[in-house]
Amino acid sequence: MIRVRVQPEPIAIAEETGALSAGRSDVGAVVSFVGHVRADDGLQSLTLEHYPAMTARALAAIAAAAEARWPLLGGVVIHRHGRMFPGEAIVLVAISSAHRAAAFAAAEFLMDWLKTRAPFWKVEERGDGRHWVAAKQSDDMAAERWHAGS
Amino acid sequence: MDILYFAWVRERIGTGSEQLAVPAAIATVADLLDWLAARSPGHAAALADRSAIRVAIDQEFASLDAPVADAAEIAIFPPVTGG
C-alpha cells in the first residue's frame, strides 16, 4: 500500500501527493514531508550513494512496519540518489489516512527510520573538497523512541 | 562469496566488490574482517577502526559474531547517514 522507490531523477512532488487522494472520498488526511538539500557552511553539492538491493528490502520492511502500526489508506516514499544541489528535494514521504494523527505519526516514523536504517551514505562537497558525512547520534535517538513502548 | 564495499570503505579499498573464496576457518563477521584486513594496505586502512564499520549479510544488518558460512553476499560499509 505504501509505494517505495529510489531514483536519481527529481521527485514530482505535487503529482505524487495528489495521487494519494485523487478520486477517493475516504481519505481525510494527506501528510507529506519533503526533505531538501541545505547550503549549510557553503555546501555546493550533496551526493548520495546507496546499496540498491538492501535499500529495496529495507524500505519495503519499513513501509510494512508503518502499515502494521497505523490505520493508513496509502502512501509513497521516494528517495533520490546521485548528485544533488542546494534547494533540491532529496526525499518525499507522503501518507494518507482517514484522520491526521495516524498520517503524521507514520510519516515521522518513516523519516526516523530512513535516517538511521536505510543504507544511504552522503558525500558533501565544499570549496575545501569532499567529505563523507558521519552518522549522527541524534538521529539514532529519534529512531529509538519508536521502540520505547510508545 | 560476494563482498561489497560502500562509501569511504569502498574508496579506501579501491573497489566496490570482490568475489572471494573465503576459507572454512572464517566463522564469523569478525573473523572475516580480520582476514580481509590482511589482503592489502587499502583493506587494512578501510577496516582499521571496527567501531566505524557496519556489516550486512544478504542485505540484513549483522553483528560481529554473526556466522558467515551460509552467506551469498556480505556488504561492508560505514554507519548509514540516511535521508
Side-chain angles (χ1 to χ4, degrees), chain B residues 14 16 22 28 30 49 60 62 64 70 74 78:
Chain B
V22 176
T28 65
D49 179 4
E60 299 278 356
L64 285 173
D70 298 328
I74 296 190

Side-chain angles (χ1 to χ4, degrees), chain A residues 7-66:
Chain A
Q7 64 183 36
E9 298 83 15
I11 302 167
I13 293 164
E15 283 171 38
E16 297 288 352
T17 54
L20 294 177
S21 60
R24 305 183 61 142
S25 55
D26 55 341
V27 170
V30 177
V31 167
S32 64
F33 170 82
V34 183
H36 290 264
V37 179
R38 275 193 321 262
D40 284 356
D41 306 320
L43 181 101
Q44 293 168 345
S45 77
L46 185 67
T47 301
L48 258 87
E49 174 173 335
H50 77 129
Y51 175 6
M54 188 173 172
T55 314
R57 283 181 67 144
L59 282 177
I62 291 165

Side-chain angles (χ1 to χ4, degrees), chain A residues 107-129:
Chain A
E108 193 163 28
F109 170 83
L110 285 163
M111 272 312 304
D112 283 343
W113 277 90
L114 275 169
K115 284 281 191 189
T116 52
R117 302 293 287 174
F120 288 95
W121 301 273
K122 289 174 178 161
V123 185
E124 295 179 342
E125 210 176 338
R126 295 194 170 81
D128 62 347

Side-chain angles (χ1 to χ4, degrees), chain B residues 5-63:
Chain B
Y5 306 111
F6 292 96
W8 54 254
V9 172
R10 171 178 53 75
E11 290 184 341
R12 286 180 196 173
I13 288 176
T15 183
S17 66
E18 299 182 282
Q19 197 164 39
L20 300 175
V22 176
I26 304 301
T28 65
V29 167
D31 294 342
L32 180 69
L33 294 177
D34 289 339
W35 183 71
L36 288 169
R39 285 177 59 77
S40 79
H43 287 77
L47 305 175
D49 179 4
R50 298 295 155 84
S51 70
I53 296 295
R54 299 291 182 270
V55 174
I57 297 178
D58 294 331
Q59 294 109 39
E60 299 278 356
F61 285 105
S63 59

